[in-house]
Amino acid sequence: MRVPLSWLREYVDLPATETGRDVQAKLVSAGLEVETVEHLGADLKGPLVVGQVLTIEELEGFKKPIRFCTVDVGQANGTGEPQEIVCGARNFAVGDKVVVVLPGATLPGGFSISARKTYGKTSHGMICSGDELGMGDDGSHGIIVLPPETEVGKDAIELLELVDEVLDIAVTANRGDCLSIRGVAREAAIAYGLPLSDPALLDVPGPNAYGYPVEVSDPLGCDRFTARTVTGLSPEARSPIWLQRRLQKVGMRPISLAVDVTNYVMMELGQPLHAYDRSLVQGTIGVRRATEGEQIKTLDGVERTLHAEDLVITDERGPIGLAGVMGGANTEIADHTEAEGTTDVVIEAAHFDAVSIARTARRHKLSSEASRRFERGVDPAAAAAAAQRTVDLLVLLAGGTAEAGVTEVVAPSAPHTISVPADHPDKVAGVSYGRETVVRRLQEVGCDVYGQDELIVTVPSWRPDLQEINDLAEEVIRLEGYENLPSTLPRPPAGRGLTQRQRLHRRVGRVLAGAGYVEAPNYPFVGEQVFDQLLLDADDPKRRVVKLTNPLNDAEPALRTSLLPGLFGALRRNDGRGSHDLALFETGLVFLPREEQRIAAVLPVDRRPTDEEIAELDAALPEQPRHVAVVLAGAREQAGWWGKGRPADWADAVEAARVVAREAGAELVVRGGQYGPWHPGRCAELVVGDTVVGHAGELHPRVVKAFGLPARTAAMELDLDALEAAGDDTPQAPRISTFPVATQDVALVVDKLVPHAEVEAALRDGAGELLEGIRLFDVYENAEQLGDGRKSLAYALRFRAGDRTLTVDEASAARDAAVALAGERTGAVLRG
């Protein structure tokens, strides 16, 4: 809502020294979000005067029409002689009054005016358009042509009200009253402690039997409808400059007098109005719900098909307007430039149901100034005053006559009353305001307040957002100043820090970042076609998804069951933008539907839900385990003077899984596997106990192609919650022995298909308690020396006892036992 300070001052006698910034600070303190203060004409400097065109000479021989004009500017140029000006506009003629800027002036934007030679003539100034003066569009798209009675030589800066300050207020959805000068003026009056000159306080004649006939068939959709008639309007009458300028300052374009007046009153009082050409309305005006499939052509020229829930204004022919949204083209007020202008109008000032108007506006994708106000709440008691104000302006400005008939259809209703303890705002804010302050603040916003300890508050008609006691508490608190509320930091009881799950989540993030990975959070939404791209089997549990009723993107209506699709997208985008050496990770929830689908219960809001109610709600939600995943592509180690570097491969993905498992305190077993997106010969199955918790390795070439990833991309995904459940993250202090270590190396020859993990597990089990560590340090394949289909695995075994120095025989015996068990389980033999 744009609020000119000059207009605001008409209803609140603000101190003359108050600037727009001062008013902004006051309103912000009262809870209104004043985003900016625009200084109109801040860099405008005269002379800028009214002139009358005396002669026009058409200049020939140029690519566009050029005119050489003489303009009478009175004594403004110091000589009284006609001013010679070159102009390219065509929308004015000899005798017209125009706005002239003389040499020495400065226009908005810092554009200085001086005499200059152009098109073979010397131009001593400019004839101005609205855009050049920063006025906005007035509908002419050309030179400003002033009314004939305007005095030549008059200061145009004052005449056109070019210097002003405009407050731009972001009005929240519950404060429809502030979508008007009246509403903002009320807030300013409260903020400054000044009286309000309410523009809605008018003498309004009561309804009678002579008004235009109106029939309301849906009183729930329209609880108030006021109709007034004005006849004998002059078709040539135009909106005066002051009215046009005020509309332009609030962001509206002047159209015609009747339309401008209804828009002006709407911005002034907040009550949307509509003017019908009486000669085009046939019979009784009605308000009803539309018939499904009914048609109407609205003022924007669009033919619209109506829905059965749409509220419409009708006459004998059918719909003539979408109630509260936009009028119909078949009763449009004729423009003053048309041959037969409108002379008789019917003024509509009605109050419509907010929800109905909001749904209609969204259904037809037709947001208007009227619908914005109705859906946020309009003062129903202001309808009669708004109609009277419109009638008065039309009579004054267009020479019309107000007919005596007044129509007012009102559905009976009682004012909204709230019972609130006088100390309730004190309890909400933690501040002792006292009863007198509470009563005074509520009365300032327009409430009637009675009672002592228990207050009976009658809410004013212009504040439909005040529904319950906390709304009243908020009014007291905001008017007393949010900045005056004490700032008290909460003191949580000891021992309630991060949960074990949260600590593990953070540790995993830190350790992966330390290993060179970059976190890349992604949206949790996927399309079901992604599971085909991941090569998942038709019966894979990950294909069962939770679908959203109202997805952000129709192409991604489901919640993810894997983190990999999001990471693949991040990898693809970064690779496409020139970052080819990538290591990304993400920790996040995946969503798995339960076997039994339940409807979530609605929890109470007047008390804390019981543990049983919370458990019932949780049981209706999908399972949401936390996963961790990584993807790698490009170089894992950069080449340089220190060496050739190396590319990322499956082993790096497996090592990332081991790093995560160590943080969780879980013993991770890595063995060969085959699953979905991973290459069947380069996929590791990650196991904790007897549970498969994830996979790691190189991606399948078809998956790489489907997602547009770099060749040989590797990935890993783990169920972090399963790791936490199986692990023990209790910190373990390192054991430092005073006894030396005994190292034994063994080289075992096994079949090529035997996994290293199985051989290592056998060696570890066979070596017994003396084994401190085991490390694979060499893999060797040579058909001539080892035979076809055979490989050699070389391990370094570290033995140590905690209470003595091991002898050679003890270390050798442990090594032999380890080799024997490896031979028994895997067929391994010592390499000769």
Side-chain angles (χ1 to χ4, degrees):
M1 175 70 190
R2 291 171 56 85
V3 180
L5 191 58
S6 59
W7 199 350
L8 190 66
R9 288 181 182 276
E10 283 197 8
Y11 310 128
V12 184
D13 188 16
L14 298 174
T17 56
E18 289 294 282
T19 66
R21 293 290 184 191
D22 298 329
V23 177
Q24 177 189 28
K26 286 283 189 179
L27 294 179
V28 168
S29 178
L32 291 186
E33 187 179 346
V34 184
E35 293 187 326
T36 60
V37 178
E38 183 179 352
H39 297 268
L40 302 182
D43 52 356
L44 176 64
K45 187 180 74 171
L48 188 72
V49 299
V50 176
Q52 184 172 22
V53 180
L54 301 178
T55 65
I56 297 177
E57 177 188 350
E58 302 288 346
L59 302 182
E60 305 292 340
F62 300 101
K63 293 182 179 179
K64 62 179 181 178
I66 298 296
R67 310 167 102 187
F68 180 66
C69 310
T70 59
V71 185
D72 178 14
V73 294
Q75 297 298 318
N77 57 3
T79 65
E81 297 294 325
Q83 199 80 2
E84 297 179 338
I85 298 174
V86 175
C87 184
R90 315 291 297 174
N91 68 313
F92 65 95
V94 172
D96 283 346
K97 301 289 180 64
V98 294
V99 178
V100 178
V101 57
L102 300 178
T106 302
L107 294 183
F111 183 56
S112 299
I113 302 299
S114 61
R116 64 188 184 94
K117 191 168 184 179
T118 178
Y119 297 103
K121 302 284 187 178
T122 300
S123 181
H124 299 272
M126 286 175 54
I127 301 175
C128 297
S129 67
D131 286 338
E132 289 165 339
L133 298 180
M135 294 170 55
D137 181 20
D138 61 356
S140 66
H141 303 290
I143 294 302
I144 300 171
V145 178
L146 300 171
E149 64 273 13
T150 311
E151 178 186 350
V152 172
K154 184 178 179 63
D155 184 358
I157 295 179
E158 179 183 349
L159 175 70
L160 299 177
E161 302 177 13
L162 297 178
V163 178
D164 202 350
E165 292 181 277
V166 179
L167 309 177
D168 194 351
I169 303 175
V171 179
T172 54
N174 65 320
R175 291 302 304 272
D177 61 304
C178 288
L179 286 174
S180 66
I181 305 298
R182 178 196 183 201
V184 177
R186 181 178 292 107
E187 292 295 316
I190 296 172
Y192 280 93
L194 296 172
L196 169 70
S197 299
D198 193 341
L201 294 180
L202 301 174
D203 291 331
V204 180
N208 53 52
Y210 309 107
Y212 198 93
V214 173
E215 180 180 349
V216 177
S217 303
D218 190 339
L220 294 179
C222 176
D223 57 9
R224 186 181 294 261
F225 195 106
T226 300
R228 299 289 298 276
T229 304
V230 180
T231 60
L233 300 177
S234 171
E236 292 80 22
R238 297 176 56 189
S239 301
I241 293 173
W242 64 266
L243 192 148
Q244 293 187 44
R245 287 296 294 134
R246 286 194 169 177
L247 288 178
Q248 288 172 334
K249 289 177 185 179
V250 298
M252 303 190 77
R253 180 173 65 87
I255 298 173
S256 63
L257 178 59
V259 175
D260 292 349
V261 167
T262 57
N263 285 337
Y264 177 85
V265 175
M266 176 179 67
M267 303 306 295
E268 182 180 54
L269 302 182
Q271 168 66 52
L273 302 109
H274 191 72
Y276 300 95
D277 189 328
R278 184 176 181 179
S279 64
L280 300 178
V281 179
Q282 298 181 11
T284 300
I285 292 179
V287 183
R288 61 170 172 82
R289 297 290 173 175
T291 303
E292 187 70 36
E294 218 170 1
Q295 300 282 324
I296 183 176
K297 186 176 183 180
T298 46
L299 288 174
D300 57 358
V302 177
E303 193 79 30
R304 301 183 185 276
T305 301
L306 300 179
H307 188 275
E309 292 185 5
D310 291 335
L311 198 64
V312 292
I313 311 297
T314 65
D315 65 4
E316 291 181 352
R317 297 164 297 176
I320 59 174
L322 266 178
V325 180
M326 186 174 286
N330 52 356
T331 56
E332 182 178 5
I333 298 291
D335 189 85
H336 68 87
T337 59
E338 298 183 19
E340 296 183 2
T342 298
T343 59
D344 301 339
V345 298
V346 177
I347 306 299
E348 165 211 311
H351 184 262
F352 301 110
D353 175 61
V355 174
S356 176
I357 301 306
R359 288 176 176 172
T360 295
R362 283 155 180 75
R363 189 180 297 119
H364 294 282
K365 296 180 175 61
L366 185 61
S367 179
S368 64
E369 292 289 346
S371 68
R372 285 183 61 221
R373 284 161 175 79
F374 277 123
E375 65 189 40
R376 285 167 173 78
V378 168
D379 181 5
Q388 182 64 47
R389 177 74 165 137
T390 304
V391 168
D392 293 343
L393 287 173
L394 288 176
V395 170
L396 175 67
L397 301 177
T401 301
E403 288 195 351
V406 177
T407 302
E408 191 164 355
V409 180
V410 181
S413 62
H416 183 50
T417 301
I418 303 172
S419 177
V420 54
D423 62 349
H424 182 68
D426 300 8
K427 295 178 179 178
V428 173
V431 176
S432 179
Y433 293 123
R435 179 188 177 280
E436 291 185 2
T437 298
V438 171
V439 171
R440 174 172 57 85
R441 288 304 190 183
L442 292 178
Q443 288 175 339
E444 284 178 346
V445 299
C447 297
D448 292 329
V449 185
Y450 302 95
Q452 292 299 319
D453 294 338
E454 189 75 16
L455 303 179
I456 306 301
V457 181
T458 302
V459 174
S461 59
W462 57 82
R463 290 299 302 274
D465 58 305
L466 302 181
Q467 293 293 320
E468 48 102 14
I469 60 175
N470 286 325
D471 296 330
L472 300 179
E474 181 185 6
E475 291 301 297
V476 175
I477 294 168
R478 75 175 181 87
L479 294 179
E480 283 295 305
Y482 291 122
E483 68 277 7
N484 295 324
L485 293 177
S487 178
T488 305
L489 293 176
R491 295 182 178 179
R496 296 191 181 182
L498 297 177
T499 65
Q500 181 178 348
R501 187 180 192 224
Q502 290 169 330
R503 290 196 297 269
L504 176 59
H505 177 209
R506 294 192 178 187
R507 291 203 312 274
V508 166
R510 284 196 293 267
V511 73
L512 287 176
Y517 291 85
V518 176
E519 188 171 13
N522 296 284
Y523 286 118
F525 312 116
V526 295
E528 293 185 80
Q529 74 283 352
V530 77
F531 302 121
D532 294 329
Q533 296 173 322
L534 290 173
L535 305 182
L536 299 185
D537 294 336
D539 58 349
D540 194 295
K542 288 187 177 180
R543 285 184 175 270
R544 295 184 62 242
V545 295
V546 177
K547 291 188 178 180
L548 301 173
T549 302
N550 187 22
L552 296 178
N553 183 353
D554 291 339
E556 296 178 334
L559 292 172
R560 66 190 178 191
T561 57
S562 168
L563 301 182
L564 291 181
L567 282 176
F568 290 168
L571 185 73
R572 181 180 62 251
R573 284 190 299 274
N574 284 275
D575 182 70
R577 293 171 184 173
S579 297
H580 303 303
D581 302 326
L582 295 163
L584 308 179
F585 84 94
E586 180 180 7
T587 57
L589 302 180
V590 298
F591 306 85
L592 308 175
R594 298 181 186 271
E595 293 295 335
E596 180 185 355
Q597 299 293 326
R598 299 184 184 180
I599 298 177
V602 178
L603 296 182
V605 296
D606 59 341
R607 59 176 173 81
R608 185 189 184 280
T610 64
D611 293 341
E612 292 75 15
E613 289 172 330
I614 295 175
E616 185 179 352
L617 177 64
D618 288 340
L621 298 176
E623 295 181 15
Q624 300 175 55
R626 186 177 295 278
H627 281 204
V628 57
V630 304
V631 291
L632 306 99
R636 184 63 177 145
E637 295 179 3
Q638 297 291 336
W641 57 266
W642 53 85
K644 295 181 180 180
R646 68 173 183 84
D649 60 14
W650 63 268
D652 295 299
V654 173
E655 180 58 25
R658 288 196 173 102
V659 166
V660 172
R662 283 196 294 270
E663 283 299 317
E667 184 177 348
L668 188 71
V669 175
V670 180
R671 66 191 185 196
Q674 182 174 342
Y675 180 71
W678 281 277
H679 193 296
R682 299 166 187 164
C683 174
E685 192 172 68
L686 309 174
V687 181
V688 173
D690 297 327
T691 305
V692 176
V693 295
H695 295 83
E698 185 179 315
L699 295 177
H700 196 290
R702 287 166 56 189
V703 174
V704 168
K705 181 178 180 181
F707 285 95
L709 304 178
R712 309 301 292 271
T713 297
M716 177 277 292
E717 183 168 14
L718 271 175
D719 185 337
L720 198 53
D721 285 353
L723 278 181
E724 179 191 357
D728 179 8
D729 62 351
T730 303
Q732 299 290 335
R735 295 177 60 187
I736 301 175
S737 176
T738 59
F739 299 99
V741 65
T743 303
Q744 297 276 351
D745 293 344
V746 294
L748 303 178
V749 178
V750 296
D751 190 87
K752 274 188 177 182
L753 297 181
V754 174
H756 138 69
E758 293 184 11
V759 178
E760 180 181 310
L763 289 172
R764 189 181 300 276
D765 292 343
E769 295 181 354
L770 295 178
L771 182 67
E772 182 180 78
I774 182 171
R775 178 175 63 88
L776 174 70
F777 64 85
D778 184 55
V779 178
Y780 177 70
E781 295 181 10
N782 188 310
E784 293 182 3
Q785 296 183 17
L786 304 177
D788 291 336
R790 305 283 282 173
K791 64 182 178 183
S792 171
L793 303 177
Y795 293 90
L797 308 179
R798 292 168 56 88
F799 298 99
R800 194 194 311 255
D803 57 351
R804 67 188 188 281
T805 300
L806 292 177
T807 65
V808 174
D809 292 339
E810 288 177 310
S812 298
R815 179 201 63 188
D816 294 342
V819 172
L821 187 58
E824 180 182 332
R825 288 185 181 178
T826 66
V829 296
L830 278 172
R831 181 177 171 188

